[in-house]
């Protein structure tokens, strides 16, 4: 009996040991059947877990670019379409004021001209009154920037050209405040100089629409007389029966002729009077015109 009990005990230990070995072998075979060693299986499990945890959520770019028809895009479009604020716009240039506001102005109207004629046909050769004539003539007035030449600028609020009638008509008057003449490019010593010579005829003053002026230099000595009164001349002095020269004759207006009236942006009303340098003619005209 003792022999058999010990034998059964040993057999039981062998069976238990064999079962444990079989279980361990099953585990090992299961790991190998998964496609590799236990380490590689663990790595794949870990990679799978990491891949699962790294499943991408909606990207930042998707949130930064909403659909075109979304309210956010519409609001942004409307904001971009708004005009720039006044603080960023360019400031418009200021309008000219004073006499400079009249530069470039032109006026058109009518002048009533009266010419008194004198001659020296008396017995003692003294000057005497001979005739008077009255005319109505179309007239233009042009105002511009003061002229410059030879390094000088006209000292008037504007340059002025007043043309009464056509130059060839009897009674026509032309008044120039200034002109630029071309002379020699060298002075008497042979030194170079600006050939443009500024000639100023009138001294003009303008104050808030009131204009006054005086002819200070007719420039007859330079043979550039531009302030003229056109009037016919007799073929033979004191012999009107022998006829007149055709086309009239320009007589230079003498120093101290005057001009005055009102000139603004819309209209001009002027009166001028004077005489010619030869003493044969005296004139007066009244001009009224509107800006064109």
């Amino acid at each position: 009996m003792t022999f058999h009990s010990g034998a059964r005990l040993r057999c039981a230990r062998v069976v238990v040991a064999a079962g444990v070995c079989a279980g361990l072998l099953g585990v090992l075979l299961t790991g190998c059947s998964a496609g590799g060693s236990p380490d590689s299986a663990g790595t794949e499990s870990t990679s799978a877990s990491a891949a699962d945890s790294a499943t991408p959520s909606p990207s930042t770019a998707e949130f930064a670019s909403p659909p075109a028809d979304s309210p956010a895009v519409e609001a942004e479009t409307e904001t971009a379409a708004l005009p720039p604020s006044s603080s960023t716009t360019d400031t418009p240039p200021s309008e000219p004021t004073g006499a400079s506001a009249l530069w470039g102005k032109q006026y058109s109207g009518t002048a009533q001209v009266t010419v008194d004629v004198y001659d020296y046909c008396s017995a003692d050769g003294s000057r005497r009154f001979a005739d008077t004539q009255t005319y109505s003539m179309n007239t233009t007035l042009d105002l511009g920037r003061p002229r410059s030449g030879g390094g000088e600028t006209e000292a008037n609020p504007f340059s002025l050209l007043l043309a009464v009638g056509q130059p060839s008509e009897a009674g026509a008057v032309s008044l120039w405040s200034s002109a630029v003449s071309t002379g020699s490019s060298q002075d008497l010593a042979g030194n170079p100089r600006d050939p443009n010579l500024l000639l100023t005829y009138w001294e003009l003053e303008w104050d808030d629409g009131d204009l006054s002026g005086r002819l200070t230099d007719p420039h007859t000595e330079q043979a550039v007389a531009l302030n003229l009164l056109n009037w016919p001349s007799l073929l033979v002095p004191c012999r009107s029966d022998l006829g007149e020269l055709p086309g009239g004759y320009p007589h230079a207006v003498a120093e101290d002729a005057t001009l005055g009236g009102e000139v603004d942006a819309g209209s001009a009303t002027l009166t001028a009077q004077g005489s010619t340098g030869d003493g044969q003619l005296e004139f007066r005209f009244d001009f009224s015109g509107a800006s064109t």
Side-chain angles (χ1 to χ4, degrees):
M1 292 296 292
T2 305
F3 171 78
H4 293 288
S5 299
R8 283 195 293 269
L9 179 59
R10 286 193 296 271
C11 288
R13 290 176 177 172
V14 170
V15 171
V16 171
V20 171
C21 290
L24 292 174
L25 180 60
V27 171
L28 292 175
L29 291 176
T30 302
C32 292
S33 65
S37 65
D39 291 341
S40 63
T43 302
E44 290 180 4
S45 175
T46 303
S47 300
S49 299
D52 292 340
S53 63
T55 301
S57 58
S59 66
T60 304
E62 292 174 349
F63 282 105
S65 302
D69 56 351
S70 69
V73 171
E74 293 179 358
E76 182 179 355
T77 304
E78 292 177 358
T79 302
L82 293 175
S85 63
S86 59
S87 60
T88 59
T89 57
D90 295 335
T91 303
S94 58
E95 294 293 330
T97 59
S100 62
L102 302 181
W103 296 353
K105 289 291 185 180
Q106 297 180 329
Y107 306 81
S108 179
T110 304
Q112 305 299 321
V113 184
T114 299
V115 179
D116 294 332
V117 183
Y118 294 82
D119 63 27
Y120 298 90
C121 300
S122 61
D124 59 358
S126 62
R127 182 175 180 263
R128 69 176 187 177
F129 175 76
D131 192 13
T132 186
Q133 298 287 337
T134 301
Y135 301 85
S136 178
M137 295 184 168
N138 294 330
T139 302
T140 59
L141 170 64
D142 292 88
L143 303 180
R145 180 187 297 272
R147 292 185 176 89
S148 298
E152 299 181 355
T153 300
E154 177 182 0
N156 285 320
F158 38 68
S159 64
L160 176 148
L161 171 57
L162 184 59
V164 179
Q166 296 298 318
S168 61
E169 292 181 284
V173 181
S174 61
L175 301 181
W176 295 63
S177 67
S178 66
V180 177
S181 177
T182 301
S184 173
S185 60
Q186 295 181 340
D187 60 17
L188 296 177
N191 299 312
R193 67 178 181 185
D194 190 336
N196 296 316
L197 177 63
L198 175 67
L199 302 175
T200 300
Y201 300 90
W202 288 76
E203 287 183 357
L204 301 175
E205 293 183 2
W206 183 90
D207 183 15
D208 195 23
D210 294 328
L211 175 65
S212 62
R214 185 174 71 90
L215 180 61
T216 57
D217 190 345
H219 288 291
T220 53
E221 293 182 359
Q222 291 85 3
V224 195
L226 295 180
N227 290 265
L228 303 170
L229 168 62
N230 192 62
W231 194 256
S233 296
L234 297 176
L235 285 172
V236 178
C238 302
R239 293 291 305 270
S240 58
D241 58 313
L242 298 179
E244 300 174 343
L245 292 172
Y249 181 81
H251 297 256
V253 177
E255 185 179 345
D256 291 330
T258 60
L259 175 69
E262 296 182 357
V263 179
D264 57 30
S267 62
T269 304
L270 297 174
T271 296
Q273 60 183 8
S275 61
T276 57
D278 54 17
Q280 294 183 354
L281 304 169
E282 292 182 359
F283 69 93
R284 172 187 173 90
F285 67 78
D286 298 303
F287 164 68
S288 179
S291 176
T292 58

